[in-house]
Amino acid sequence: MKTRFAKLTLASIISASIGLSPLAVMAADPAPAPAVVPAATPADSAPAAQPEKAAKKTAKKSKKDKKAEKKAKKKSKKKAKAAQEPAAPQQ
């Protein structure tokens, strides 16, 4: 009986330590320092292009939003027009 309990206790302690070890490592590590990039490297042009890409994406999204608003206005105008006109009697 004691050996079963001892094995269970040992197994639970080991599994808990394995589960908590990544948290302990993350807590022990300080925030990573930014890497020092040597000046005048060809990679400098790529980060400069990223903000432009982000701006283009936001512009594209705003175009989509404008298009959706325009479509919604058009739909509402059609509905309003249909509501104002009396329905033609069908023969």
Side-chain angles (χ1 to χ4, degrees):
M1 180 71 181
K2 288 184 179 182
T3 56
R4 286 184 182 173
F5 185 71
K7 287 181 182 179
L8 179 63
T9 305
L10 185 61
S12 61
I13 290 172
I14 291 172
S15 64
S17 65
I18 290 172
L20 294 176
S21 63
L23 296 175
V25 170
M26 288 191 303
D29 288 341
V36 178
V37 179
T41 59
D44 288 340
S45 62
Q50 287 178 351
E52 291 174 8
K53 286 183 182 179
K56 286 182 182 179
K57 282 186 180 179
T58 54
K60 285 183 182 178
K61 287 181 182 176
S62 64
K63 283 182 183 178
K64 287 181 181 178
D65 291 339
K66 287 179 184 177
K67 197 172 187 179
E69 287 175 11
K70 190 175 179 181
K71 194 173 184 180
K73 285 181 184 178
K74 196 173 184 180
K75 258 189 177 177
S76 64
K77 282 183 182 179
K78 279 187 177 180
K79 286 184 180 180
K81 191 176 181 182
Q84 285 178 355
E85 294 178 0
Q90 294 183 358
Q91 296 177 2

